[in-house]
Amino acid sequence: LELLISYHLAIQEHAQTYPTTAGILLFGRASQRFFPEAFIIVTHFAGVEGRDVIATRDCTGTLQEQFESAFEWIIAQLNRSFVIKGSKRIEQLEIPETAIREALLNALVHRNYNIAGPIKIAIYRNRLEIFSPGCFPGPINENNLLMGLTFIRNVGICKLFRKWKYIEKLGSGFGSIFQSYEQYQLPRPAVIEGESFVKCILPRSLAAQRMPLISERLENSAEVLSLFAQGVELSVGDIMRSLHMTRITANRRLNSLLNQGLIKNGGQTIGLTDAKESFLSG
């Protein structure tokens, strides 16, 4: 009991013990019964704006379960490419996983749970938007995020997430986001504070933004095409593993690209045509 109280997971009043908000959100068997808006909605939209939904997921349960579910689903919606380092071919997500992880953790750990509204994550063709209820706590604002200031709104949640190694050091999350984007040489993320929300905008790769402009028919095949951005040749198995597709789906999308003259079949492997290769490299 003393341990629960020290971690702000329980309180004692009039000889009775009650779970705190943090205790329910972190360990409750039915967290949404008590906090029905304390969950995450992740939605993948077509294009760069509008409400044309491709797919959506509600991530519920404990905060740990929400994080794992949302993070896994976001990663599955994004494109991957292969980077050649020495003699090895390394798979790389189009934007830094570190940035997605830290932005999502910040939204979960530092949001205002007194506001009846879910965390909303929107995936557009050119960006990810992570919308968290509540302004920045205390003296922290969008202008001093990189100064390492720490002001904790949800003490119990922060303590447990740090103990579980989700958070390495308090106050370092946004620094990691910006640093990882610099390493990827991508446009700088943006953080916007409104009257009762914080929005983190993570730009997607330029290749992901350009590809749908070639042809509207590429909408469903853009994620396959993005794998060839480094000019490598791939097998059907590579594409299935990278995009978690069945062989039927992979073959259908490859046939569509072959018919449009955007890729070429080399027998055991598949590569870009010269015209398409120059487009991606430009």
Side-chain angles (χ1 to χ4, degrees), residues 40-44 57 59 66-80 93-97 99-101 103-105 119-123 127-130 202 204:
I40 304 172
I41 300 175
V42 193
T43 308
H44 189 179
R57 170 183 281 189
C59 304
Q66 292 181 40
F67 170 78
E68 297 293 347
S69 176
F71 184 73
E72 176 188 3
W73 201 82
I74 293 169
I75 295 298
Q77 307 308 306
L78 300 178
N79 301 318
R80 293 181 180 271
L93 196 68
E94 64 175 276
I95 63 177
E97 288 191 29
I100 301 170
R101 174 185 173 85
L104 181 55
L105 283 170
I119 293 171
K120 297 178 182 179
I121 302 175
I123 305 174
R127 69 195 186 280
L128 269 71
E129 293 187 353
I130 300 179
L202 303 178
R204 294 182 66 180

Side-chain angles (χ1 to χ4, degrees), residues 254-268:
L254 288 171
N255 286 334
S256 174
L257 294 172
L258 281 168
N259 292 334
Q260 296 175 68
L262 298 170
I263 60 174
K264 55 189 175 183
N265 191 341
Q268 297 297 318

Side-chain angles (χ1 to χ4, degrees), residues 23-90:
I24 294 173
L25 292 171
L26 291 167
F27 296 103
R29 293 182 180 178
S31 302
Q32 281 70 49
R33 175 184 172 189
F34 302 97
F35 300 97
E37 296 299 313
F39 70 104
I40 304 172
I41 300 175
V42 193
T43 308
H44 189 179
F45 294 99
V48 298
E49 58 185 11
R51 313 307 297 174
D52 187 6
V53 176
I54 297 174
T56 188
R57 170 183 281 189
D58 288 359
C59 304
T60 58
T62 65
L63 296 188
Q64 305 97 301
E65 291 168 341
Q66 292 181 40
F67 170 78
E68 297 293 347
S69 176
F71 184 73
E72 176 188 3
W73 201 82
I74 293 169
I75 295 298
Q77 307 308 306
L78 300 178
N79 301 318
R80 293 181 180 271
S81 62
F82 290 95
V83 177
I84 305 300
K85 292 187 177 181
S87 59
K88 295 183 178 179
R89 185 176 66 185
I90 301 174

Side-chain angles (χ1 to χ4, degrees), residues 10 22 52 61 111 128 130 149 151 203 223 227 234 244-245 264:
D52 187 6
R111 68 157 286 181
L128 269 71
I130 300 179
L149 298 178
F151 191 95
E223 57 185 354
L227 298 180
L234 306 172
H244 309 289
M245 289 181 176
K264 55 189 175 183

Side-chain angles (χ1 to χ4, degrees), residues 149-276:
L149 298 178
T150 301
F151 191 95
I152 302 173
R153 173 185 282 131
N154 304 307
V155 177
I157 295 173
C158 283
K159 276 191 171 185
L160 265 296
F161 267 73
R162 190 177 183 190
K163 185 175 181 62
W164 292 332
K165 307 299 183 183
Y166 284 103
I167 300 172
E168 294 183 2
K169 185 172 64 174
L170 294 177
S172 64
F174 281 104
S176 298
I177 292 172
F178 286 99
Q179 185 178 29
S180 66
Y181 260 75
E182 288 179 4
Q183 292 172 349
Y184 265 56
Q185 297 182 330
L186 290 173
R188 185 179 176 86
V191 181
I192 300 169
E193 182 179 23
E195 291 186 2
S196 59
F197 69 88
V198 172
K199 182 188 290 186
C200 182
I201 302 174
L202 303 178
R204 294 182 66 180
S205 68
L206 294 178
Q209 298 178 36
R210 290 171 179 166
M211 281 184 291
L213 299 177
I214 307 168
S215 168
E216 290 301 319
R217 292 177 296 171
L218 289 179
E219 286 285 339
N220 294 328
S221 299
E223 57 185 354
V224 176
L225 201 62
S226 67
L227 298 180
F228 298 94
Q230 298 299 319
V232 299
E233 292 190 344
L234 306 172
S235 68
V236 176
D238 290 331
I239 294 167
M240 291 168 59
R241 285 188 294 272
S242 298
L243 301 178
H244 309 289
M245 289 181 176
T246 64
R247 183 172 293 275
I248 293 175
T249 300
N251 282 331
R252 183 172 63 248
R253 297 193 183 182
L254 288 171
N255 286 334
S256 174
L257 294 172
L258 281 168
N259 292 334
Q260 296 175 68
L262 298 170
I263 60 174
K264 55 189 175 183
N265 191 341
Q268 297 297 318
T269 59
I270 302 160
L272 293 175
T273 60
D274 292 339
K276 185 61 183 160

